[in-house]
Amino acid sequence: MSNEFSHIDENVTTLARERGNVLFRLVELTRDWNALHGGVYVRVSEHTQPNPYLSHPQRDLETTDGVRLTMINPAYMTRQIAEIAEKANGVKYHITSLNPIRPANMPDAWEAEALRAFEAHSQREVLSLINLENGPVHRFMAPLLVKEACLQCHKKQGYQLGQVRGGISITMPAREVLEIRREQRQRTMLTYGAAGLIIGLLMHFAIWRSRRHFLRLHELTAGQENLIVERTQALSSANTQLIDEIAERRRNEALIAESEARYRSVIETSQDGILIMQAPTFEIVFANERAAAMLGLLPERLLGRPVIDFVFEPDRPMVAERLAQRLRGLPVSAAARCRFADPEAVRVRVCDVHIARIESDAGLLQWVVSVQDVTDRLASERALQISAAVMESATEGIVVTDVDNHIIQVNPAFTAISGYRPQEVLGKDPRLLGAGRHSDGFFKDMWARLASDGHWAGEVWNKRPDGTVYVVWLAISTIHGGALESGGRHVATFIDITQRKEMEELLRHKAHSDPLTNLPNRALFYDRLQMVQTQARRYGEQFGLLYLDLDYFKNVNDTLGHAAGDALLIEAARRLVLAVRDSDTVARLGGDEFAVILPKIAGRSEVEEVAQRIVLEMAREFHLEVDVARISASVGIALYPVHGEDLDVLKQHADMALYAVKRAGRNGYQVYLPGPALKVD
């Protein structure tokens, strides 16, 4: 019975040790992640204040929008995790050291003894069952070794790589585990007691029968029938008890088989690869389906082969050295990262590995290896880092909106171009950026294109907070696939093309304008003449066409010089523009030749009134810098559609009317009159 009790106690101890190892490993991985990133920043709150024991030049930061951040180092993170764990399930963590920086990390007597054992390399973990006032607990402790990432903060304290920096003690409530142990002991005692009772009854029955045989031998014949009945009853009772024992044994065996099946199911369905390797060759004696799938092999192809055969060639020296240290009993970190590959090195996977030592009942030294494939996660992290770098450094403004078309993310270039800070636009509709120059139909067409093609691009007018209107080239794409998990639905990029538009407009103006007078040139004049004709034909309207020459302009050039002539042309152009309506067109066709288009006229008298004003304006003196110049103007008029519906014919008739004025002595106007001779009105 003592052996059974010892076996039960060993199971309880193993369960507590495994639980402590798992909890320690979770905290150690969290600390490693924090150390590898050089600490993490969180928002300063009542619960999370700056760490007074952390000496770092950038311990406290403030974001551009005024949020205070403080650095959380591994020790501070461990303390906060301990608070959460204690509230959740009563588990207490205590990070401690023989030389603590923080007074609260001073070890108690039990922890100090464990730390000294760790530093002497006599133990790699400590487990104790202790009775406290609030109930029994298991106390587990393992060392914290100095790793590469730890030296960033602890090198100045004199620590070296691989040294024991301290440890984490874990206090776990043991009431439930001890209750299970008590129940298992009771079942064992009941089993042994029942067996002893049966044996005692059988022995007592045998002694009693012998005595009765000698005392009542003379009554043998008379009591034969009674003896047969009694023996039959005793045997029946013994058989019944034996059957019950067999049934109980079978139930226990079924429970054991069920437990083994449950553990095997957990291992086989685990998302981590599980291997068991055996000393001294570290050959694989067990591999679950997940471990084989990581290498693209069947599990049986792994069995019987050294685990080093499946380590990627460049990582084998490191792994071989760590395995050799384990075989010699040297302290080696339980966690590591290495690459595994199939024998042909076609499938290479990056894995986080955790190794735990076990000893079988046969005395064989084995290790359980838990392998977590992090290849895809690392690739995703790298992709996210690249995306974040692109987002931050792009010169184009970037906006991400959700399914409700609310802004959920912008980049720094967005603020530089739009003038809006992130907090002013997050959660709002992008239309707040608009300048109000686009109709509802414009946006309706845009959304239709996005729905059908998944993308749209075009020019959009926006307005900054200060009221400045600018134009951007905007490209919008619909987010598809796994990227939707981020919450985004559309991503838009834009660049400010205001200056380019202004330059294009300037070039277009120069291409269609007379460089001296800034009036429309001949090409733009003909374009506008065609537009006015099209509108007049469509709506049944009339328009007037005026051709005019400056009389005696050549004399000004010859006597006062070309600079004076240019100044006169500029002033003449100004007077022509003032003599007509804003909707009319005044153009310089070349030299001293001008033309005027008067759309939507009521009749001939309206055109003649304009022509008369022009003649009077041109007859006024021109006060130039060098002298006063006197000229006049000759104006020829043709009316659409009276004098022609074809533009070439209309221009010819206006020109003919102009030369009729010239022949009549200049300084006047003439409306085209059909016939062999034109007369001046």
Side-chain angles (χ1 to χ4, degrees):
M1 185 181 299
S2 61
N3 289 335
E4 289 294 330
F5 283 0
S6 297
H7 184 64
I8 292 171
D9 292 342
E10 288 176 1
N11 289 341
V12 171
T13 302
T14 299
L15 179 62
R17 180 176 288 106
E18 289 178 353
R19 185 185 181 193
N21 263 311
V22 169
L23 295 173
F24 175 83
R25 175 59 184 152
L26 290 174
V27 174
E28 186 182 45
L29 286 175
T30 305
R31 291 171 56 84
D32 289 348
W33 175 86
N34 187 302
L36 285 173
H37 288 80
V40 295
Y41 287 94
V42 302
R43 187 190 296 267
V44 175
S45 65
E46 182 181 357
H47 179 68
T48 305
Q49 290 292 313
N51 187 354
Y53 303 100
L54 175 60
S55 176
H56 195 281
Q58 295 180 338
R59 185 193 70 180
D60 301 311
L61 299 176
E62 184 169 339
T63 63
T64 56
D65 53 353
V67 177
R68 292 181 58 212
L69 302 178
T70 187
M71 178 181 287
I72 299 297
N73 65 340
Y76 199 178
M77 181 179 287
T78 302
R79 295 199 298 272
Q80 291 199 340
I81 291 174
E83 295 175 3
I84 296 172
E86 184 173 359
K87 292 178 181 179
N89 50 25
V91 175
K92 298 180 179 179
Y93 290 89
H94 184 221
I95 180 171
T96 183
S97 171
L98 292 175
N99 298 302
I101 299 175
R102 180 171 174 264
N105 292 346
M106 184 68 67
D108 59 23
W110 183 87
E111 292 171 336
E113 182 180 355
L115 289 170
R116 285 190 288 270
F118 294 155
E119 291 187 347
H121 302 294
S122 61
Q123 286 183 275
R124 289 192 293 272
E125 61 184 30
V126 176
L127 177 69
S128 299
L129 177 61
I130 300 173
N131 286 313
L132 301 178
E133 293 181 358
N134 56 349
V137 296
H138 277 112
R139 295 197 69 181
F140 176 87
M141 188 169 182
L144 291 173
L145 303 180
V146 176
K147 301 179 182 178
E148 189 68 34
C150 304
L151 292 177
Q152 299 177 14
C153 295
H154 294 283
K155 187 174 182 179
K156 61 184 179 181
Q157 298 173 356
Y159 287 108
Q160 297 180 357
L161 194 65
Q163 285 187 334
V164 176
R165 189 174 76 253
I168 297 178
S169 69
I170 305 170
T171 303
M172 303 169 288
R175 192 185 304 278
E176 293 182 1
V177 176
L178 295 182
E179 182 63 23
I180 294 174
R181 185 185 70 176
R182 184 187 65 78
E183 292 176 359
Q184 290 181 344
R185 283 185 172 184
Q186 285 182 349
R187 285 197 296 269
T188 301
M189 292 176 63
L190 288 174
T191 300
Y192 277 88
L197 179 61
I198 293 172
I199 293 172
L201 289 174
L202 290 175
M203 291 180 64
H204 179 74
F205 176 73
I207 294 171
W208 178 77
R209 288 298 298 150
S210 297
R211 179 174 177 276
R212 186 176 179 83
H213 174 73
F214 287 108
L215 293 177
R216 299 183 60 186
L217 186 60
H218 62 282
E219 298 177 355
L220 180 60
T221 303
Q224 189 67 38
E225 292 182 0
N226 292 333
L227 177 60
I228 293 173
V229 171
E230 290 174 358
R231 292 186 64 182
T232 300
Q233 291 177 347
L235 288 174
S236 176
S237 176
N239 286 337
T240 300
Q241 293 178 355
L242 184 58
I243 290 171
D244 291 342
E245 288 181 10
I246 293 173
E248 180 65 21
R249 183 182 182 88
R250 287 177 177 174
R251 281 194 296 271
N252 291 335
E253 290 175 348
L255 290 174
I256 293 172
E258 181 182 350
S259 177
E260 290 178 351
R262 185 162 50 249
Y263 280 112
R264 179 171 291 275
S265 175
V266 170
I267 291 174
E268 290 296 344
T269 58
S270 173
Q271 294 301 307
D272 293 344
I274 305 296
L275 301 172
I276 297 179
M277 56 185 185
Q278 184 170 290
T281 59
F282 295 99
E283 68 180 29
I284 299 172
V285 297
F286 172 81
N288 69 347
E289 293 285 349
R290 178 58 179 162
M294 290 180 185
L295 300 172
L297 302 172
L298 295 174
E300 51 266 25
R301 291 194 58 188
L302 277 64
L303 301 181
R305 297 184 60 177
V307 72
I308 199 73
D309 288 355
F310 301 100
V311 176
F312 192 42
E313 185 70 31
D315 293 350
R316 288 186 182 181
M318 178 270 291
V319 174
E321 175 63 24
R322 294 171 72 93
L323 292 178
Q325 291 176 354
R326 290 185 182 279
L327 197 58
R328 293 195 300 268
L330 298 177
V332 183
S333 175
R337 174 172 289 176
C338 66
R339 291 169 290 180
F340 286 86
D342 61 320
E344 289 75 27
V346 174
R347 182 183 178 88
V348 180
R349 311 299 292 175
V350 181
C351 300
D352 284 341
V353 179
H354 184 271
I355 302 178
R357 173 173 170 162
I358 59 173
E359 292 188 11
S360 66
D361 294 338
L364 295 175
L365 181 58
Q366 296 179 331
W367 288 269
V368 175
V369 183
S370 175
V371 183
Q372 184 180 24
D373 189 343
V374 297
T375 309
D376 296 335
R377 190 192 74 197
L378 293 177
S380 298
E381 289 176 355
R382 284 194 294 271
L384 288 174
Q385 291 170 353
I386 293 172
S387 298
V390 171
M391 188 83 170
E392 290 296 319
S393 61
T395 57
E396 298 89 352
I398 301 176
V399 180
V400 181
T401 61
D402 60 16
V403 69
D404 297 320
N405 198 35
H406 292 154
I407 298 174
I408 61 175
Q409 189 176 5
V410 296
N411 71 334
F414 167 87
T415 299
I417 296 173
S418 71
Y420 283 96
R421 293 175 296 177
Q423 59 267 31
E424 294 175 325
V425 298
L426 293 180
K428 298 181 180 178
D429 194 296
R431 285 205 177 192
L432 70 90
L433 306 174
R437 292 195 178 186
H438 301 289
S439 64
D440 291 340
F442 173 85
F443 292 105
K444 184 177 180 181
D445 292 342
M446 181 187 75
W447 284 110
R449 285 285 301 279
L450 277 172
S452 61
D453 302 340
H455 56 84
W456 178 89
E459 294 181 0
V460 175
W461 287 90
N462 285 341
K463 184 167 65 175
R464 296 187 176 94
D466 62 2
T468 304
V469 176
Y470 62 102
V471 61
V472 300
W473 181 261
L474 176 66
I476 307 175
S477 297
T478 302
I479 299 174
H480 298 286
L484 285 170
E485 296 176 359
S486 66
R489 188 67 180 86
H490 294 96
V491 59
T493 61
F494 62 91
I495 57 174
D496 188 345
I497 61 171
T498 307
Q499 291 184 347
R500 190 185 77 186
K501 290 284 289 183
E502 291 174 349
M503 183 60 67
E504 290 175 354
E505 189 62 32
L506 178 61
L507 292 174
R508 186 180 300 108
H509 177 75
K510 288 183 177 181
H512 293 88
S513 300
D514 173 54
L516 179 62
T517 63
N518 206 32
L519 293 176
N521 60 13
R522 186 183 296 270
L524 182 56
F525 166 73
Y526 288 150
D527 287 344
R528 292 191 178 178
L529 186 60
Q530 290 176 346
M531 291 175 58
V532 171
Q533 181 202 30
T534 301
Q535 186 175 10
R537 182 184 293 124
R538 179 179 300 170
Y539 298 107
E541 297 173 346
Q542 299 183 71
F543 69 86
L545 174 62
L546 283 65
Y547 274 6
L548 66 98
D549 267 357
L550 299 182
D551 304 326
Y552 313 112
F553 174 73
K554 186 175 183 302
N555 294 337
V556 176
N557 268 344
D558 293 341
T559 58
L560 302 181
H562 289 286
D566 289 346
L568 188 146
L569 289 173
I570 294 172
E571 175 61 19
R574 187 186 71 83
R575 294 182 184 183
L576 285 173
V577 171
L578 292 175
V580 300
R581 302 168 299 182
D582 291 339
S583 59
D584 300 334
T585 297
V586 178
R588 183 187 178 200
L589 304 183
D592 61 347
E593 299 179 3
F594 294 86
V596 179
I597 305 173
L598 304 175
K600 297 183 180 180
I601 60 173
R604 171 174 171 170
S605 60
E606 185 178 348
V607 179
E608 290 183 300
E609 182 181 346
V610 174
Q612 187 174 13
R613 281 203 304 270
I614 291 174
V615 171
L616 292 175
E617 285 294 323
M618 294 301 107
R620 289 193 299 111
E621 293 179 342
F622 286 81
H623 295 272
L624 308 177
E625 289 186 3
V626 295
D627 202 352
V628 176
R630 296 177 179 83
I631 63 169
S632 61
S634 298
V635 181
I637 303 171
L639 304 177
Y640 175 92
V642 178
H643 300 142
E645 295 186 4
D646 181 79
L647 289 182
D648 290 336
V649 173
L650 196 65
K651 289 187 291 183
Q652 181 182 4
H653 289 168
D655 197 50
M656 292 172 64
L658 170 64
Y659 280 98
V661 177
K662 291 282 190 182
R663 290 193 298 269
R666 299 183 174 87
N667 193 26
Y669 67 89
Q670 169 70 52
V671 178
Y672 171 74
L673 294 175
L678 293 173
K679 63 178 181 179
V680 179
D681 288 354

